Amino acid sequence: MAEIQRKGAKKKGQGAIIWDAVLTGISYMIPFIVGGGVIEGIAKAMGGYNIAADMAAVAYTEYTPAMTVYAIGAAIFDVCVPIIGAYIAWAMADKPGLAPGFAVGVISVKIQAGFLGAVLGGIIAGYIVNWLKELSKKVPTDVSSVFPILLIPVIGTLVTSLLMFYIVGIPVSWINQLIVTSLTDLQGAGGFIFGAAIGAGMSIDQGGPIGKAVALVANGLNADGIFGPAACKMCGGMQNPLGVCIAQIIDRFTGKKKFTDKERSTTISGLVLACCYIQEYVIPFLVQDTWRCLVPCMIGGAISGGLCGYFALESVAVHGGVFVIGMMSNPLQFVLFWFAGAIVTGVLYFLLRKPVDQEAEMAGNGVLDKLLG
């Protein structure tokens, strides 16, 4: 069926198409990061945090149960980079883009261009496959039938992979190695600044475009084996809903009436969402009183993320909330840093917020609407 074009409808620009494709690739990559990362975390809980180094000294036939579990997680985790390349190309060029996108992701891992190389390679694969698809429309029918089953997979994969191997991958690999070297074992003041930037970024729009961009960087570094930014991201994001709930709890005990009864009725739900790492709970409060909510959240996020960076806390999982805390390099530290940022957010938000009309309605929020019926 032909697609109906509405009169005056705007076409997406190339920048928007690429950004949507990258977000699509990220969304498909995250289950692999979470699955592989959590399984690796379980193995570390079973056999110690240095289990990977222990495995290098023995043959796979001599693996302990913990080592076997770690090998399973590592096998899943190892395809994270090819997966994002495949699904970026798929988002741009449909099914014909999968093979070239996956191949360029594998090449990216081989030449140590990592996550960044797979992203660029997936975009290039998408454009090359789309060009081949357009070309297939301009040749005789007998020839065009060969394109989808032979020419596009072969030519698209070969051209994209060669470009990554000999041209694009060289500077990207250098940049990626520079980033990895700079961030590996980053702690102290430098770690605090980097972690604070991640935590504050995650606290600006509560799951909006800015937060997604910050998460993209942290998730990408996690796919490259740098696990610190994921801890900063999760801790900085999770403190926001908890902080808003703490402000409501303070309001209950002081009787200042800075929140409506309807807002205070969501406290328990907000605590559950905070534990599940769902920041959208904060959106109605952010919409109603933007600056008085935004500034405390960013300060609290910077503190939580900064403390994670200062102490080089690591998280193999990029999502999961309280359900993955036990798999972090230091679970107790994470909980302390999470609450530290949330307390700062909650106290500042309570102090800055002015008393409100008790009959006022909260700004709409799909998550809260479902929770409140």
Side-chain angles (χ1 to χ4, degrees):
M1 182 182 291
E3 185 180 351
I4 299 175
Q5 295 288 341
R6 294 189 179 275
K7 194 172 182 180
K10 292 183 179 179
K11 288 186 177 181
K12 278 187 177 181
Q14 289 302 308
I17 291 173
I18 291 172
W19 179 246
D20 287 348
V22 172
L23 291 181
T24 298
I26 288 286
S27 69
Y28 278 95
M29 180 185 73
I30 284 177
F32 289 85
I33 293 181
V34 173
V38 169
I39 291 173
E40 285 186 358
I42 293 171
K44 289 178 179 179
M46 294 169 60
Y49 205 74
N50 294 319
I51 190 171
D54 297 335
M55 291 171 65
V58 299
Y60 78 92
T61 53
E62 301 174 355
Y63 281 179
T64 64
M67 290 178 177
T68 302
V69 172
Y70 188 88
I72 294 170
I76 298 170
F77 204 85
D78 286 346
V79 297
C80 291
V81 172
I83 283 293
I84 190 173
Y87 280 97
I88 287 175
W90 172 78
M92 296 179 67
D94 211 350
K95 288 182 182 179
L98 280 172
F102 192 89
V104 80
V106 173
I107 297 297
S108 184
V109 172
K110 188 173 185 65
I111 65 174
Q112 297 185 321
F115 167 82
L116 183 58
V119 170
L120 293 176
I123 294 169
I124 293 170
Y127 277 114
I128 290 175
V129 170
N130 279 334
W131 175 75
L132 289 170
K133 288 165 69 176
E134 288 298 319
L135 184 62
S136 70
K137 299 175 183 177
K138 300 176 182 179
V139 298
T141 305
D142 292 342
V143 179
S144 66
S145 62
V146 182
F147 269 77
I149 61 173
L150 178 63
L151 296 182
I152 290 179
V154 174
I155 295 175
T157 299
L158 187 60
V159 172
T160 306
S161 298
L162 287 173
L163 283 173
M164 175 57 65
F165 217 108
Y166 289 107
I167 300 176
V168 178
I170 295 172
V172 173
S173 177
W174 180 81
I175 293 170
N176 189 64
Q177 290 304 303
L178 181 64
I179 293 171
V180 170
T181 303
S182 301
L183 295 181
T184 300
D185 296 327
L186 184 65
Q187 54 186 320
F192 183 88
I193 293 171
F194 183 68
I198 293 176
M202 290 299 298
S203 305
I204 294 174
D205 55 0
Q206 307 301 332
I210 297 174
K212 283 185 172 64
V214 175
L216 187 151
V217 173
N219 294 344
L221 292 171
N222 192 277
D224 285 336
I226 303 173
F227 304 126
C232 299
K233 180 199 79 167
M234 200 181 306
C235 200
M238 287 174 65
Q239 65 82 32
N240 290 293
L242 181 59
V244 171
C245 290
I246 288 173
Q248 294 172 21
I249 293 170
I250 296 172
D251 190 50
R252 286 176 183 271
F253 283 99
T254 59
K256 295 292 185 180
K257 301 291 185 181
K258 292 190 174 185
F259 293 88
T260 67
D261 290 337
K262 186 175 182 181
E263 287 172 329
R264 285 194 295 270
S265 71
T266 69
T267 302
I268 300 299
S269 300
L271 292 173
V272 173
L273 294 175
C275 291
C276 296
Y277 187 18
I278 299 177
Q279 294 181 230
E280 283 77 5
Y281 172 77
V282 183
I283 291 176
F285 303 96
L286 188 64
V287 170
Q288 280 185 331
D289 200 11
T290 302
W291 291 108
R292 291 186 179 88
C293 182
L294 175 64
V295 173
C297 284
M298 288 186 66
I299 293 173
I303 289 172
S304 286
L307 288 171
C308 289
Y310 185 87
F311 289 96
L313 186 65
E314 294 184 335
S315 172
V316 292
V318 297
H319 214 287
V322 297
F323 303 103
V324 298
I325 290 177
M327 298 163 193
M328 295 185 179
S329 58
N330 192 319
L332 180 59
Q333 278 188 347
F334 182 89
V335 174
L336 290 174
F337 301 159
W338 174 29
F339 274 83
I343 289 170
V344 171
T345 294
V347 172
L348 287 178
Y349 185 34
F350 172 75
L351 293 175
L352 291 175
R353 185 168 168 123
K354 293 182 177 179
V356 294
D357 179 2
Q358 292 301 304
E359 302 300 322
E361 292 292 327
M362 294 180 70
N365 180 278
V367 177
L368 291 182
D369 289 344
K370 289 181 181 179
L371 287 170
L372 297 174

